[in-house]
Amino acid sequence: MFIKVREEEPAYAFVPPANGAAINQHGKPIQLVEEDHPLAGQSLNINNNPGVGTNPNRYKQHGFHFTADNCIGCHACEAACSEKNDLPAHLSFRSVGYLEGGTFPDYRRLNISMACNHCDDPVCLKGCPTRAYTKFAEYGAVLQDPDICFGCGYCTWVCPYNAPQLDPVKGQVSKCNMCVDRLEVGLKPACAAACLGGALDFGVIETPPENREEVKLAIPGFPDPSITHPNIRFQQTQPLPSEMTRPDSMPLRYVRAAEAQDTYRTQAAERMPEPEWNLRKLSSREDPLVVFTLLSQGVIGAFLILYLGPRFGFEALAPSAHPATFKVLLFILLGLQTFALALSTMHLGKPHRFYRAFNNLKYSPVSREVASLAVFYGALSGYALLTVIPAFSFLRGLCGFVAAVAGPAALYAMYRIYRIPARPFWDHWQVATSFYGNMLTLGALMVGLFYALSLAVQGQTFSGLLAGLAWPMALGIAIEGLGLIAHRRYLVRRGGEAAASDLEQRTTFGKTYLARNGGLALGFVLVAVLGSTGPDGAAGLLAWLTAALAITATAVAGRALFYVLVIPTTMPGAFFWRNRAFQEHARETGLANMPQVGVLPDDH
């Protein structure tokens, strides 16, 4: 059974007829399929109902229209959405934030109500490794199945609009479903039907509501629509101050462009507090990924050193030179990679569903990373096991070759995961120099130190081996350092959220940022000096261990900064809602223990 339409249902609750437009402002057809298409006439199986709706515009792209001048910030749309979807207090498929500007008495506030925009180019669908998302011909709705989702949260990274909601309690993502059950009987979504001020409306895209003239693609505070081609249009005619700010803790402001009075540019906030350490804030939900990425990069680099080293003149690394050391190190690398993969799995909301990561190899970089790491791990396992069985030398060589190819390929897939337009801090080639630089540095360090310890125990010299391995170590540090220099220039040049991330790294984490940069320089100098002087014996081993400690600490600090400095192209929040600073305050003071506050005590 479809939902029952009340006899007294007001006229404004029904979806209005379309205006006949054929192409939307992004150049895409509004009619998604024709009536004789194989997809047409099929049921959406809403609540296992096999019926097919009779909406005459069922196969046209629908979307929201938001008249910012009319929004009074009452949150009725939020309440209606949460009630219909039975959401807990810490989740909200639709949220209302605002921008503010001006001075008393000419203070202005611009409210923005936002949910999923059911985009023409849904990046959540392409990024999801489990294929939990589907773009339907019916109404153009982008629907997500929480039962398929395993809670990696990648869709929450790539979406510019805060639409997918990761629930740490259930370990899965869910989001706005366009109220397709209401659309099937001709009703608007619950949020639009509940709007008191006539600000939020709904219909076939490019059809302005009654008494509306504008169908803008953006207003101040709205991310770049070219990222996903969202199906939402705006009207905003009231004059606004030349600069608007956010009430949440994001260090952003929106400044009117000189060339267009109705266009606002996102810029970093004008504040310059003293640099701080904030070591406690380095910890985030992505802590497992800090360890996983560094360990994987180090293991891949160490294997490449072992496999390719003898071919480049490192005779000491040949399996026949020190067979016991070679075999033990291989199994240590296998153990480290096993731990890294297990840690990445435990990062999921539903770890027991990890196998679903292979579902979207065509589009998702997460699926490709998992697949290539699985190939590397399998080949490394085969190579290590066959090392102790000399009868299968050909098969061992094949496994080694596959691992040597799959390892760098896995790091490329890992790099592609972070090229996200909605997260400008990551959207730069510096991510690749960081990942491959760590591969060289940490990999060579692992091999060099283990061989040095083994040779020292046997009373043999190790200075020559470490002097040779100092070259890939120094090269890795240099690559990462050059990438960071270019990255800093990119952040300033790009502006907006990128410049705001740069502001954060120079202020909130200013001392940590400087310490990381100093650690890279120190590591390079130590490797260069030790590689050129070639100390041996206990003193040499101690010197190399000191250098390893400095390099490792720098790598961990740098990777932690990599995750906490990201400022996404999110919609503005409010003071008590979608505000990272208030969430931290609620957890510190115990307010988060009250469910009605809408903040969970633990975000993982």
Side-chain angles (χ1 to χ4, degrees), residues 275-296:
E276 300 177 19
W277 287 101
N278 275 316
L279 297 179
R280 183 178 58 82
K281 290 186 177 181
L282 285 177
S283 178
S284 70
R285 178 185 176 274
E286 318 306 342
D287 285 348
L289 296 183
V290 173
V291 181
F292 161 70
T293 54
L294 288 175
L295 270 183
S296 296

Side-chain angles (χ1 to χ4, degrees), residues 64 81 93-95 113-118 161-163 176 191 232:
F64 293 98
C81 174
F93 293 167
R94 176 169 291 280
S95 61
S113 175
M114 192 57 54
C116 178
N117 294 312
H118 303 275
Y161 316 111
N162 312 108
C176 158
C191 55
I232 184 172

Side-chain angles (χ1 to χ4, degrees), residues 159-244:
C159 176
Y161 316 111
N162 312 108
Q165 299 289 296
L166 178 59
D167 187 352
V169 177
K170 292 185 177 180
Q172 64 190 28
V173 169
S174 54
K175 74 168 194 69
C176 158
N177 57 24
M178 203 190 259
C179 289
V180 288
D181 55 339
R182 292 175 59 88
L183 296 183
E184 288 284 69
V185 295
L187 294 175
K188 296 176 184 177
C191 55
C195 181
L196 301 179
L200 185 63
D201 216 316
F202 185 86
V204 175
I205 201 66
E206 309 301 355
T207 299
E210 188 178 2
N211 299 321
R212 301 291 185 270
E213 299 175 355
E214 295 183 341
V215 282
K216 293 180 178 179
L217 294 177
I219 57 174
F222 190 74
D224 181 3
S226 67
I227 298 175
T228 65
H229 296 168
N231 284 299
I232 184 172
R233 302 294 182 262
F234 299 96
Q235 176 163 311
Q236 194 276 310
T237 59
Q238 296 296 322
L240 295 174
S242 58
E243 180 176 320
M244 305 287 285

